[in-house]
Amino acid sequence: MKVSDIDSGRQRGALALNILDTLVHRIGKDEQAALPHDWLAATILTVRNEIIERWMVSSKAAHAAGAKRVYYLSLEFLIGRLLRDTLANLQASAEVKAALAELDVDLTALEEIEPDAALGNGGLGRLAACFMESLATLDLPAYGYGIRYVNGMFRQRIDDGWQVELPETWLQYGNPWEFRRRESAYVIGFGGEVHGDENGAVTWKPAEIVEAMAVDTPVVGWRARRVNTLRLWTARSLDPFRLDAFNRGDFQGAMADQLRAETLVRVLYPNDSTAAGQELRLRQEYFFSSASIQDIVRRHVQYFGDIRTLPDRAAIQLNDTHPAVSVAELMRLLIDQYGLDFDEAWELTQKTFGYTNHTLLPEALESWPLPLFERLLPRHMQLVYAINAKLLRAARKVEGIDDRSIAAISLIDEGGERRVRMANLAFAGAHSVNGVAALHTGLMKTTVFADLHRLYPERINNKTNGITPRRWLQECNPGLTALITEAIGDRFMDDAEALTALAPFAGDAAFRERFAAVKHANKVALSNYLRGEMGLRLDPAALFDVQIKRIHEYKRQLLNIIETVALYDQIRSHPERDWTPRVKLFAGKAASSYHQAKLIIKLAGDVARRVNADPSIGGLLKVAFVPNYNVSLAERMVPAADLSEQISTAGMEASGTGNMKFALNGALTIGTLDGANVEIRDHVGADNIVIFGLTADEVAAQRAGGYDPRAVIENSAELAQAVNAIASGVFSPDDPNRYRDLMNGLYDHDWFMVAADFDAYSAAQRAVDARWNDRDGWQRSAILNVANMGWFSSDRTIGDYAREIWGVK
Ligand code: 26V
């Protein structure tokens, strides 16, 4: 039976028939029986067919040209949904929408039931996803390598104000985007013993092995210029079912190997603030590093024959230290399999790798207890020692170098229990070490990497982060995109820096009105969504003030909440003043073991409940914590924001990328001089951003020189009143002591300088109110933000990596 035969007789074009054919023959359902997920799968499979040929063209062209390939190794890819993005990049949205309409199916509804691929924690993972899209857009041959987690980032439910973590089952209906590559499989070993023979050749006999199998997802660049591959590894046992054990009646034993393999790829570590430290995490890191490096080496030798030309044909970028064991893995393959001598292998390795650092937080810097590393990876341990010997020999030649400096450079931390330092291994094994914003790169040179920097002063460089304007402007904000296109044409879609042509429109009153109308419509849409999801009633005319990101003390959601309490207090005391109506929105996940962060979520909810229920403030202030922050929620919230909260303690946020998304969508930033905020100010102009608070240098100086938060609190009536109200249970009458310790922490140490920055922050917020009342001035600034944010496109960032680190065109 052909699809046309079961056609209901209506007029249907080729694409509609194609989707229907896929539904019937691939999904096995007819139109009447199909559920929304069946239509989604049929649509994705049909679209995927359109991609495959371009995909093959892309890889054949790279092969024929002998092009150098980029390999982006990352334990996280926070992709989100793919259908809308892929259709947009194929320029096929309208066509597919029309075809589905012929089948009485709504494309937007399908797009919104696609599960969010949340294989990442936050900024680092989302950056990797933006980079993949920009690599394809810039027509650079590239592969992303990672793990196909069965359970990605947890789903957050808020129960009685408390965060509860639930497993996210994104693969529940299968994943129609992916191709399982059974033939691309590698054996990964763990443990066992290392033997050397009389000629010096070394063999590692692992005690345990699993197989890594490739699962590929096509990544379509803008205007489908190129299709690259995101290759995620899944694990399987080489002996998935032990019949001998089964026949003995040992049913569990029969499956034990398979279970162990599946455990490797079961969960993403849901933490971005504390190094995990568990054996399973190191196993994940090695599993994916080894599979990726074996795959890269195999491809190189197959195409080019000589392993010695690897650095000419492959650039491998390490996304933080999570894949740093790759340095030792490549050394192992070069020496033990290809017979190179150590020095030659080291030179090739250094030329091949680049390393990106994403955090200076000492607690997030990975290091592994030496006994664990040695037990799991005995051959790699030997290589780490050999690399370290070479590194320290070089260090000792530096004039005036002292023992403290040598100890800081060493790959082994000898203070306390001995540990392998992954950041030092990545630094030593790479020709390029980059930070992700100018300020952060500067701090790398003077703090964590100061000694390594003195040894290799050319190695550290800056690559300021970026975001893809396809997802973060065109797709999430079609209203603004249409308005911009009408004003300046569509060149900005191919070159985001062409947005500067919008700047003169800031002076055009009619344009400002239309710009404001687009923002208003986005706020109405978000309000409607939040009413449906959580019964919230918001006034879209109010100022939407948004802080959405991982919950962490350094990001200072607490500063925002305390200021909210102070504002509430002020409105109650002076109801006669001309207050700006505000909606304060929070969203974000806390690491499951991070008690303080979870308490901050609870506090946001407690403050919201009290404030929202108080009729005496006449609806001038509304507060909400929106559950389950993820990429899709960000796509709804970012276009609706008026004010973007980027208020980390200066020196602690490596870059931030949410800051860029908001500014590109016409929100004004209130922020500290931290991370990329500094460069955002330089681009949008100091008049179009609200900067407050201590600088990174001042934070360091205060911390060094007897900062006394108690005195600061006692000197600020507004702050003291808010802190004391929270501490005494005004917002938690059911448990008046709930926030006592949290508030005492501010008096006692206040490591994140909440008290130190409070008055400046509060004053900055009142300055925001004043600007809001100057409607023209506000819209002018908002338009100038959009016009000047093109530089923060990840196309620019990837162009910089390509030229300055990878040497690819
Ligand atoms: C650490 C760990 C520790 C073990 C458990 C899993 C895990 C996962 C991630 C991390 C490191 C997270 C570092 C990170 O996300 N940094 C963010 O990177 C963004 C992109 O460069 C940047 O914009 C943010 O400022 C920075 O915090």
Side-chain angles (χ1 to χ4, degrees):
M1 181 167 68
K2 293 236 299 293
V3 161
S4 50
D5 303 329
I6 51 172
D7 185 349
S8 62
R10 293 178 46 188
Q11 207 32 25
R12 284 166 171 179
L15 182 55
L17 292 175
N18 225 326
I19 294 172
L20 199 52
D21 185 73
T22 308
L23 181 76
V24 173
H25 295 112
R26 297 286 304 278
I27 313 291
K29 296 251 183 116
D30 65 18
E31 266 184 277
Q32 286 69 40
L35 299 172
H37 275 283
D38 300 320
W39 284 114
L40 176 65
T43 305
I44 292 173
L45 289 171
T46 309
V47 171
R48 202 181 69 162
N49 275 342
E50 301 301 310
I51 299 170
I52 292 173
E53 280 173 37
R54 280 237 48 93
W55 200 6
M56 291 173 175
V57 170
S58 297
S59 60
K60 285 197 182 118
H63 183 192
K68 185 169 185 176
R69 290 174 171 78
V70 174
Y71 296 103
Y72 199 78
L73 269 57
S74 178
L75 224 43
E76 306 192 5
F77 287 92
L78 190 40
I79 303 163
R81 292 172 176 154
L82 271 179
L83 182 55
R84 181 172 299 162
D85 190 59
T86 305
L87 290 179
N89 281 5
L90 290 169
Q91 323 273 276
S93 310
E95 195 190 339
V96 171
K97 190 169 189 63
L100 284 168
E102 290 166 15
L103 301 162
D104 293 321
V105 176
D106 176 30
L107 172 61
T108 309
L110 290 190
E111 287 172 344
E112 285 172 9
I113 59 167
E114 185 182 1
D116 212 280
L119 311 184
N121 276 281
L124 166 146
R126 183 55 234 178
L127 186 77
C130 284
F131 278 8
M132 288 305 298
E133 200 263 4
S134 279
L135 283 160
T137 293
L138 296 186
D139 198 12
L140 296 171
Y143 290 75
Y145 279 109
I147 291 181
R148 181 183 177 275
Y149 300 106
V150 171
N151 294 114
M153 191 57 183
F154 65 83
R155 186 154 56 83
Q156 179 193 57
R157 203 172 67 199
I158 302 295
D159 271 1
D160 183 31
W162 295 102
Q163 168 177 296
V164 177
E165 302 95 33
L166 301 165
E168 186 63 273
T169 49
W170 72 294
L171 293 170
Q172 163 178 27
Y173 295 99
N175 179 1
W177 290 111
E178 66 187 24
F179 291 85
R180 299 174 83 81
R181 306 293 193 194
R182 284 169 212 287
E183 71 291 356
S184 295
Y186 298 92
V187 174
I188 314 295
F190 294 101
E193 285 160 19
V194 178
H195 301 283
D197 71 8
E198 56 284 1
N199 308 318
V202 174
T203 38
W204 172 28
K205 292 238 177 316
E208 236 183 274
I209 50 176
V210 299
E211 193 176 44
M213 185 185 84
V215 181
D216 288 350
T217 300
V219 179
V220 180
W222 173 237
R223 298 202 198 274
R225 235 169 253 146
R226 173 179 198 89
V227 181
N228 277 330
T229 302
L230 175 60
R231 173 159 282 193
L232 302 179
W233 299 105
T234 189
R236 62 186 179 190
S237 160
L238 282 114
D239 199 0
F241 181 64
R242 303 261 305 266
L243 195 57
D244 55 338
F246 185 84
N247 287 340
R248 279 197 313 271
D250 180 5
F251 304 136
Q252 279 178 8
M255 306 287 291
D257 268 14
Q258 183 60 20
L259 190 68
R260 186 145 3 113
E262 283 168 13
T263 305
L264 261 179
V265 296
R266 168 63 61 177
V267 287
L268 163 77
Y269 270 84
N271 196 347
D272 67 353
S273 40
T274 331
Q278 290 93 344
E279 177 171 337
L280 180 61
R281 170 77 178 184
L282 180 55
R283 282 177 178 262
Q284 286 186 332
E285 292 184 356
Y286 180 65
F287 166 78
F288 119 90
S289 295
S290 175
S292 308
I293 299 297
Q294 289 189 61
D295 199 36
I296 293 165
V297 166
R298 182 219 24 100
R299 184 174 301 111
H300 177 79
V301 172
Q302 183 186 325
Y303 288 171
F304 303 109
D306 181 2
I307 190 64
R308 288 179 172 79
T309 60
L310 182 69
D312 305 328
R313 308 293 184 177
I316 307 178
Q317 193 67 28
L318 303 173
N319 197 24
D320 217 297
T321 58
H322 315 154
V325 69
S326 298
V327 168
E329 177 68 356
L330 180 57
M331 287 293 284
R332 180 181 77 84
L333 296 180
L334 294 178
I335 296 170
D336 297 354
Q337 287 193 2
Y338 290 89
L340 269 58
D341 72 32
F342 184 90
D343 287 339
E344 191 180 8
W346 186 235
E347 196 187 321
L348 293 180
T349 297
Q350 285 183 311
K351 283 185 175 163
T352 305
F353 283 108
Y355 155 53
T356 306
N357 172 276
H358 295 268
T359 180
L360 301 173
L361 293 187
E363 62 271 30
L365 291 181
E366 287 187 298
S367 69
W368 295 103
L370 205 134
L372 168 64
F373 197 95
E374 182 157 43
R375 173 165 59 74
L376 224 50
L377 303 168
R379 176 59 178 143
H380 301 78
M381 190 71 246
Q382 293 179 339
L383 291 165
V384 166
Y385 281 135
I387 295 166
N388 202 33
K390 193 175 170 70
L391 176 70
L392 296 184
R393 260 198 312 277
R396 287 203 187 87
K397 290 195 187 126
V398 174
E399 203 164 329
I401 196 140
D402 58 10
D403 287 350
R404 187 209 52 77
S405 198
I406 294 286
I409 287 168
S410 174
L411 303 186
I412 313 292
D413 180 355
E414 311 267 0
E417 61 155 2
R418 300 175 79 209
R419 303 177 75 95
V420 183
R421 290 174 171 148
M422 301 311 271
N424 293 36
L425 177 60
F427 193 115
H431 67 280
S432 160
V433 175
N434 74 283
V436 292
L439 177 73
H440 166 234
T441 301
L443 290 169
M444 283 169 67
K445 296 178 183 173
T446 55
T447 62
V448 270
F449 296 117
D451 297 281
L452 277 161
H453 175 57
R454 199 143 59 94
L455 189 54
Y456 300 108
E458 308 294 317
R459 205 164 287 184
I460 296 182
N461 64 92
N462 180 56
K463 296 287 167 284
T464 299
N465 282 167
I467 56 173
T468 166
R470 271 71 65 185
R471 184 178 293 258
W472 296 111
L473 175 61
Q474 293 172 214
E475 293 153 32
C476 73
N477 203 340
L480 182 56
T481 303
L483 180 63
I484 297 170
T485 308
E486 207 188 303
I488 63 169
D490 66 0
R491 208 167 73 77
F492 72 96
M493 294 189 184
D494 296 284
D495 171 12
E497 291 183 59
L499 281 169
T500 50
L502 202 63
F505 289 85
D508 173 339
F511 184 84
R512 284 201 301 268
E513 277 312 309
R514 299 186 63 197
F515 184 88
V518 167
K519 179 64 80 180
H520 186 79
N522 293 339
K523 291 163 74 176
V524 170
L526 178 65
S527 304
N528 291 340
Y529 176 76
L530 294 178
R531 186 164 56 202
E533 291 292 305
M534 51 190 299
L536 206 60
R537 286 178 176 277
L538 302 178
D539 173 9
L543 187 165
F544 279 25
D545 170 342
V546 184
Q547 188 172 22
I548 50 179
K549 49 182 79 237
R550 285 300 289 259
I551 311 295
H552 199 290
E553 289 163 278
Y554 86 79
K555 295 178 186 282
R556 297 200 296 191
Q557 283 91 357
L558 190 55
L559 176 60
N560 190 349
I561 297 169
I562 294 172
E563 200 278 326
T564 304
V565 168
L567 175 61
Y568 170 56
D569 202 40
Q570 292 282 314
I571 299 176
R572 276 163 44 110
S573 321
H574 305 284
E576 74 290 351
R577 287 192 193 156
D578 177 25
W579 295 103
T580 294
R582 262 196 206 234
V583 172
K584 286 242 175 211
L585 296 175
F586 296 87
K589 290 173 180 172
S592 49
S593 59
Y594 192 170
H595 172 75
Q596 203 86 323
K598 290 179 145 178
L599 193 60
I600 290 169
I601 293 177
K602 176 69 174 163
L603 176 59
D606 276 344
V607 170
R609 194 176 29 163
R610 169 86 200 245
V611 169
N612 297 351
D614 186 340
S616 77
I617 57 169
L620 285 169
L621 181 61
K622 278 267 180 337
V623 184
F625 187 92
V626 184
N628 201 34
Y629 183 57
N630 59 16
V631 172
S632 298
L633 184 59
E635 289 169 9
R636 291 181 190 275
M637 295 184 76
V638 166
D642 295 304
L643 188 66
S644 156
E645 297 270 357
Q646 308 300 336
I647 59 176
S648 49
T649 313
M652 302 196 77
E653 188 70 272
S655 163
T657 47
N659 47 3
M660 302 170 189
K661 293 162 197 165
F662 282 107
L664 182 62
N665 283 275
L668 268 58
T669 302
I670 182 167
T672 48
L673 283 178
D674 199 13
N677 294 354
V678 178
E679 290 151 87
I680 292 176
R681 178 201 57 179
D682 294 344
H683 278 83
V684 305
D687 292 344
N688 302 308
I689 185 169
V690 181
I691 296 291
F692 71 93
L694 298 176
T695 63
D697 287 344
E698 289 165 350
V699 167
Q702 290 239 4
R703 280 178 178 167
Y707 166 52
D708 179 4
R710 183 170 298 272
V712 174
I713 297 172
E714 284 165 2
N715 260 314
S716 165
E718 198 189 7
L719 174 58
Q721 209 160 359
V723 169
N724 296 340
I726 296 169
S728 64
V730 169
F731 298 92
S732 52
D734 53 322
D735 177 5
N737 286 325
R738 182 176 295 140
Y739 303 112
R740 176 136 296 158
D741 291 348
L742 186 66
M743 294 299 108
N744 280 340
L746 295 182
Y747 279 100
D748 293 344
H749 42 82
D750 189 23
W751 178 249
F752 300 96
M753 303 290 196
V754 169
D757 273 344
F758 180 84
D759 281 356
Y761 179 55
S762 170
Q765 288 288 21
R766 300 295 72 80
V768 167
D769 288 345
R771 275 174 184 253
W772 181 256
N773 288 331
D774 167 15
R775 297 292 297 163
D776 283 349
W778 184 281
Q779 299 306 337
R780 202 175 296 126
S781 284
I783 294 165
L784 289 174
N785 268 265
V786 179
N788 290 303
M789 284 301 293
W791 187 79
F792 295 91
S793 163
S794 44
D795 298 348
R796 187 272 312 154
T797 311
I798 287 296
D800 291 350
Y801 275 84
R803 253 178 298 105
E804 296 165 19
I805 300 179
W806 303 328
V808 295
K809 279 195 227 47

